[in-house]
Amino acid sequence: MSIDLHCHSTISDGALSPGEVVRRAHEHGCTLLALTDHDHTGGLVEARQQAQQLGMRLINGVEISVTWRARSIHVVGLDFDDRHEGLQQLLAQVRAGRIMRFQAMAAKLAHKGIADALVGASALVTNPDMPSRTHLAQFLVDNGHVRNKAEAFRKYLGEGKPCCVKHQWADLGETIGAITAAGGLAVIAHPMRYDLSATAKRNLFEEFKALGGVAIEVHSGRSSLNDRLNYALLAERFDLMASCGSDFHRVGDFGGGDLGRCPELPPICQPVWTRFQAA
Ligand code: AMP
Ligand code: MN
Ligand code: MN
Ligand code: MN
């Protein structure tokens, strides 16, 4: 069984259309897939149609941008009703500031002597509602300002770097509340990627659980066995279930893994998919 519960399409900052994402996952033997675009569920209809044609199980998903204690974290929602009004309202609110933030970051790049970032990166945006740092990073790579995306984030766009604009995303409690009200399960995305102290991590997991959160990603992208064992133990300690996802964005990308190629979770994990509603 191959399961992938975190990936992106052109509806946010991925390079493949929702249908192409589903086809590639299917080619890789994936049997249970969730498409989790950032702050947007607009790809689910096309993904569902393609999955139905291929006889593959697709779960509704989304990856919501959250501000928790002045930090940016991501919460994945799984297996919710994508027509739920409260959830759609929250997503619309989260998206609202993106265009201005994108313009402000491009202005900061211009200040650093990179003049044409707004025009150049806008041309890479595939959903006008969802301009993101990924598009700015891709522009910087394509135009030789940096060698790769990791360098773009390290030098310019990462949290606290000179061209990153701080943004107020969704509230953690409201996010978990909206996902849950829509019948879904809230999952902390890629906990290994946040630069959190042991204490901050404990606070996050405790608060997340108390607010109705269900699981954490024990595997994300190219996690090591050490990461997976570590987060499997943390999940057990905080009474949270486990999820896994490639965080796929594009073929050949550095950060995310490939679609439908997640390793098995450590045996102590309680897999979140055992809680999915029957197909
Ligand atoms: P935004 O939603 O505009 O803040 O953009 C965040 C996106 O940037 C994430 O979803 C990733 O796809 C990408 N990203 C963040 N950090 C990195 C990094 N260090 N290397 C490559 N991509 C990154
Ligand atoms: Mn992304
Ligand atoms: Mn993320
Ligand atoms: Mn993601």
Side-chain angles (χ1 to χ4, degrees):
M1 197 156 72
S2 157
I3 295 170
D4 190 342
L5 303 176
H6 186 149
C7 62
H8 298 274
S9 76
T10 47
I11 292 298
S12 60
D13 58 351
L16 304 185
S17 70
E20 287 169 336
V21 167
V22 171
R23 284 197 290 281
R24 185 175 178 88
H26 185 254
E27 279 163 18
H28 287 180
C30 184
T31 47
L32 182 60
L33 178 73
L35 175 65
T36 57
D37 274 305
H38 297 287
D39 307 330
H40 211 300
T41 59
L44 296 177
V45 170
E46 182 186 319
R48 213 147 43 216
Q49 278 168 356
Q50 183 63 79
Q52 254 161 23
Q53 275 175 25
L54 296 167
M56 188 176 121
R57 191 161 174 218
L58 183 95
I59 298 296
N60 284 346
V62 68
E63 181 179 17
I64 305 180
S65 312
V66 166
T67 300
W68 177 74
R69 302 193 184 180
R71 296 164 188 280
S72 187
I73 67 159
H74 286 170
V75 172
V76 163
L78 295 173
D79 202 26
F80 51 81
D81 174 4
D82 57 331
R83 294 158 307 185
H84 188 269
E85 226 172 86
L87 178 61
Q88 289 303 338
Q89 262 170 25
L90 178 107
L91 294 177
Q93 259 171 37
V94 183
R95 290 194 298 264
R98 272 195 179 268
I99 294 169
M100 274 175 63
R101 167 181 178 255
F102 187 76
Q103 290 166 344
M105 289 190 288
K108 288 197 168 209
L109 285 166
H111 206 71
K112 291 265 168 202
I114 300 168
D116 42 357
L118 184 59
V119 174
S122 294
L124 303 173
V125 171
T126 44
N127 175 352
D129 287 347
M130 287 300 300
S132 79
R133 285 186 289 165
T134 304
H135 303 105
L136 290 164
Q138 189 68 48
F139 163 82
L140 293 174
V141 175
D142 292 351
N143 290 275
H145 297 290
V146 291
R147 274 163 300 183
N148 51 50
K149 281 212 190 104
E151 191 181 333
F153 280 88
R154 213 165 44 237
K155 258 177 106 166
Y156 299 111
L157 300 169
E159 301 290 316
K161 301 296 165 151
C163 301
C164 179
V165 170
K166 267 235 170 258
H167 196 71
Q168 189 66 37
W169 302 110
D171 173 75
L172 181 62
E174 284 172 17
T175 299
I176 298 169
I179 293 168
T180 310
L185 307 166
V187 181
I188 298 180
H190 43 67
M192 52 297 279
R193 288 234 308 260
Y194 313 125
D195 190 18
L196 296 176
S197 67
T199 309
K201 214 172 282 173
R202 192 182 65 219
N203 290 338
L204 173 62
F205 291 173
E206 276 176 353
E207 196 175 323
F208 179 74
K209 171 83 186 177
L211 291 166
V214 172
I216 63 173
E217 286 181 353
V218 164
H219 161 76
S220 171
R222 302 190 173 186
S223 71
S224 64
L225 179 59
N226 198 43
D227 278 336
R228 295 195 290 279
L229 292 172
N230 198 356
Y231 284 90
L233 288 171
L234 283 168
E236 188 190 41
R237 184 167 140 208
F238 292 96
D239 193 22
L240 291 161
M241 301 181 93
S243 187
C244 64
S246 61
D247 206 0
F248 173 82
H249 283 75
R250 65 184 56 238
V251 177
D253 208 330
F254 268 33
D258 206 343
L259 266 172
R261 294 264 158 89
C262 297
E264 281 197 17
L265 293 176
I268 59 161
C269 290
Q270 305 287 326
V272 71
W273 52 88
T274 60
R275 291 270 303 270
F276 290 168
Q277 292 153 46

